[in-house]
Amino acid sequence: MANIYKESSLGKVTVTEDHEVVIGQVICHNGTPTTSKICARIDPAQHPAPGRIYAVKGRNPGGEKILILVRVEKMWEHNPHEDALSSNINQVIPIEIAYAKEGQSTVIYRAFEADTLEEISFISNGKRNGEEELSLNINNVTTLPRSGWPIIEVSDELISKALELAPDPDLGLDIGHIHTTNIPVRLKRDVIQTHLFICGGIGRGKSYARGVIAEEYWAHKICQINIDPMGEMVEATKDLGGMNIKPGEGFTLPLSALQAADVVDAIPGHARSKTTNIFSLIKYAHDKLLDEKVSKLGQEFGVNDLVKKIEDVADDIGYGAKGTLYPALLKAKSLSNFKYIGDPFDWKTHLQDGKIINIDCRGYSVRDLRLITASIARDIQRLAKKREIPFVVFSMDEAHLIAPNDDNVVTTQVLREIARIGRHYRIGLIMTTQSPADMDKSILKRLLTRMIFAIESDQLQAIRGVFSDAPDEIIKQLPKLPKGTCLLTGVSETIKHATLTKVRTRKTTVGGSTPNVFSSDKRRPFPNKEK
Ligand SMILES: Nc1ncnc2c1ncn2[C@@H]1O[C@H](COP(=O)(O)OP(=O)(O)OP(=O)(O)O)[C@@H](O)[C@H]1O
Ligand SMILES: [Mg+2]
């Protein structure tokens, strides 16, 4: 194979006969090469970095030219002049020993280990205007890379194509760039339906990235409802012409959006007291209303309806004694203290044309957050099942509080259902958390596109299953990832290979400190995406 290449020197850089820059050569080392891993000696003039993608150039068993894309995992230097013994001798016998450096020395070299990603072969489509036209055939790696084959730089376009990272710019979601490169990371729109998971330590870029996603979904006219416990999306929502609403102030939810278990959860009291006849009566009446009004007539109901129903049914089920009925009525009436329980919100009118509705939950307790989230989830689930609203993405920050790893929490139950079958009735999820270890595992494993920002090592264990084919070296680097850089992983149909991604700059205001970029121009910035 070596003799195909007439190696010349272009300055210090080695190139192949096709003038491709050679960055190193496959070596036989530590049980490699294999179809999944190679090691390479690095050309002295080159400085690859972990995460960078190159191609091994060779031929398949049929003799056709191929490129095998490889991603650098780790690098090391070999220098016997500085091994433990030599270093020790230099210390105890302080005689200056000069030796030839890398490039001149026969024993000093740098090397890297890399994972193979894709095998590219070229199919000739015949000649057009005298030039041979080639199309790419991209497959799993089946050709064994051979020791001695050169490793060359490849164009950003080829990498994007092979990794399926950049579909038509107007149809993809512009997330950023592959870390340390200019290769754009554009996701296929399908990821919207596969549910998105954003996790990372405090201040690592989760909310910033959520804003980027909001801009992209908005550009694609995808409706979004966001639960915003910290008010981080308020400014961005304004920029995108969306709607900020505060529970209890222009935004209320009907009691009928809650299940009996939510109602019982909402009423203050010790968990043990909630198994008494008083609560059984409330539950029974609520279930009856859900059946009679919501299921049969499609009508909503409120606190007064519940109170009346409790009075009506108490005798039928033998709970008419004053000791049970009166406290049940009082507890049901106490639900009117929740200022966000009231008339139903008109989702059908507001969820249109890619609108973003941000529920500003600043100041609300975890219990309130759960109740608000559960009732919105049920409301939109009901409308989506009847096809009365367009595809909508339901998102929330602090997901570990809203959907903790606890079967008894109602939000966990309803979000599990959306995570499991939501895409069938056109609801997508985005869940953001700094503490995946505390989040419900069965929801977590169904969020199939993931943006993992720098995260403490104690949280890594909880997300073991979500790294897809990310190499160990990159996983080890996770706690130290720079702010705004994440490991992007997914299922092979959406994100072929785990990719370290630098999230792009926001167009919308971050946390209200920078000027409103859209204030003077309400036009969508990606006109082609309106197709
Ligand atoms: N991709 C990025 N490009 C530029 N700046 C960024 C990027 N990501 C984050 N930042 C900066 O870092 C700050 C903190 O990021 P962000 O608010 O997204 O963190 P977070 O992970 O949501 O933290 P918390 O857990 O506290 O909510 C941002 O206000 C912004 O200044
Ligand atoms: Mg945040």
mmCIF file of all heavy atoms in Angstrom, residues 91 93 103 119 138 172 245 331 405 481 516 530:
data_model
loop_
_atom_site.group_PDB
_atom_site.id
_atom_site.type_symbol
_atom_site.label_atom_id
_atom_site.label_comp_id
_atom_site.label_asym_id
_atom_site.label_seq_id
_atom_site.Cartn_x
_atom_site.Cartn_y
_atom_site.Cartn_z
ATOM 1 N N GLN A 91 19.407 12.860 36.656
ATOM 2 C CA GLN A 91 19.305 13.565 37.947
ATOM 3 C C GLN A 91 20.559 13.364 38.779
ATOM 4 O O GLN A 91 21.120 14.305 39.314
ATOM 5 C CB GLN A 91 18.068 13.023 38.673
ATOM 6 C CG GLN A 91 17.918 13.424 40.108
ATOM 7 C CD GLN A 91 17.225 14.774 40.237
ATOM 8 O OE1 GLN A 91 16.357 15.099 39.429
ATOM 9 N NE2 GLN A 91 17.637 15.564 41.221
ATOM 10 N N ILE A 93 23.561 12.000 37.772
ATOM 11 C CA ILE A 93 24.809 12.361 37.085
ATOM 12 C C ILE A 93 24.500 13.597 36.247
ATOM 13 O O ILE A 93 24.106 13.479 35.090
ATOM 14 C CB ILE A 93 25.324 11.213 36.175
ATOM 15 C CG1 ILE A 93 25.306 9.887 36.932
ATOM 16 C CG2 ILE A 93 26.701 11.531 35.604
ATOM 17 C CD1 ILE A 93 25.676 8.685 36.089
ATOM 18 N N GLY A 103 11.320 14.073 15.158
ATOM 19 C CA GLY A 103 11.510 14.499 13.761
ATOM 20 C C GLY A 103 12.917 14.177 13.295
ATOM 21 O O GLY A 103 13.131 13.791 12.156
ATOM 22 N N GLU A 119 -16.940 3.962 7.277
ATOM 23 C CA GLU A 119 -16.095 3.653 6.119
ATOM 24 C C GLU A 119 -16.737 4.292 4.890
ATOM 25 O O GLU A 119 -17.926 4.113 4.642
ATOM 26 C CB GLU A 119 -16.009 2.127 5.946
ATOM 27 C CG GLU A 119 -15.162 1.705 4.768
ATOM 28 C CD GLU A 119 -14.880 0.188 4.788
ATOM 29 O OE1 GLU A 119 -14.692 -0.380 5.886
ATOM 30 O OE2 GLU A 119 -14.870 -0.412 3.694
ATOM 31 N N ILE A 138 -21.481 5.457 2.432
ATOM 32 C CA ILE A 138 -21.026 5.519 3.829
ATOM 33 C C ILE A 138 -21.625 4.356 4.611
ATOM 34 O O ILE A 138 -22.839 4.171 4.633
ATOM 35 C CB ILE A 138 -21.446 6.867 4.459
ATOM 36 C CG1 ILE A 138 -20.796 8.003 3.681
ATOM 37 C CG2 ILE A 138 -21.062 6.938 5.931
ATOM 38 C CD1 ILE A 138 -21.416 9.346 3.923
ATOM 39 N N GLY A 172 -32.392 21.678 9.172
ATOM 40 C CA GLY A 172 -31.786 21.161 10.404
ATOM 41 C C GLY A 172 -31.924 22.142 11.552
ATOM 42 O O GLY A 172 -32.367 23.273 11.393
ATOM 43 N N ILE A 245 -46.550 33.841 31.103
ATOM 44 C CA ILE A 245 -47.701 33.892 31.994
ATOM 45 C C ILE A 245 -47.331 33.339 33.359
ATOM 46 O O ILE A 245 -46.537 32.406 33.468
ATOM 47 C CB ILE A 245 -48.929 33.126 31.436
ATOM 48 C CG1 ILE A 245 -48.492 31.846 30.723
ATOM 49 C CG2 ILE A 245 -49.769 34.005 30.544
ATOM 50 C CD1 ILE A 245 -49.651 31.083 30.149
ATOM 51 N N LYS A 331 -61.834 20.542 53.315
ATOM 52 C CA LYS A 331 -60.574 20.322 52.583
ATOM 53 C C LYS A 331 -60.758 20.618 51.100
ATOM 54 O O LYS A 331 -59.900 21.222 50.453
ATOM 55 C CB LYS A 331 -60.067 18.895 52.797
ATOM 56 C CG LYS A 331 -59.521 18.707 54.198
ATOM 57 C CD LYS A 331 -58.767 17.419 54.345
ATOM 58 C CE LYS A 331 -58.370 17.172 55.804
ATOM 59 N NZ LYS A 331 -57.486 18.184 56.365
ATOM 60 N N ASN A 405 -37.256 10.463 41.173
ATOM 61 C CA ASN A 405 -37.271 9.008 41.100
ATOM 62 C C ASN A 405 -38.192 8.470 42.189
ATOM 63 O O ASN A 405 -37.741 7.896 43.161
ATOM 64 C CB ASN A 405 -35.826 8.543 41.337
ATOM 65 C CG ASN A 405 -35.555 7.245 40.667
ATOM 66 O OD1 ASN A 405 -36.419 6.718 39.971
ATOM 67 N ND2 ASN A 405 -34.372 6.706 40.881
ATOM 68 N N LEU A 481 -15.413 19.711 31.091
ATOM 69 C CA LEU A 481 -15.771 20.346 29.816
ATOM 70 C C LEU A 481 -15.920 21.855 30.004
ATOM 71 O O LEU A 481 -16.468 22.302 31.005
ATOM 72 C CB LEU A 481 -17.114 19.816 29.308
ATOM 73 C CG LEU A 481 -17.164 18.488 28.586
ATOM 74 C CD1 LEU A 481 -18.561 18.268 28.016
ATOM 75 C CD2 LEU A 481 -16.139 18.439 27.474
ATOM 76 N N ASN A 516 -32.322 43.479 23.497
ATOM 77 C CA ASN A 516 -33.304 42.677 22.793
ATOM 78 C C ASN A 516 -33.013 42.705 21.296
ATOM 79 O O ASN A 516 -33.290 43.690 20.620
ATOM 80 C CB ASN A 516 -34.684 43.271 23.090
ATOM 81 C CG ASN A 516 -35.784 42.507 22.405
ATOM 82 O OD1 ASN A 516 -35.539 41.774 21.452
ATOM 83 N ND2 ASN A 516 -37.002 42.681 22.881
ATOM 84 N N GLU A 530 -39.141 28.570 6.995
ATOM 85 C CA GLU A 530 -40.600 28.640 7.089
ATOM 86 C C GLU A 530 -41.273 27.747 6.062
ATOM 87 O O GLU A 530 -42.477 27.688 5.972
ATOM 88 C CB GLU A 530 -41.060 30.089 6.925
ATOM 89 C CG GLU A 530 -40.575 30.937 8.089
ATOM 90 C CD GLU A 530 -41.178 32.324 8.095
ATOM 91 O OE1 GLU A 530 -42.166 32.509 7.391
ATOM 92 O OE2 GLU A 530 -40.647 33.182 8.791
#
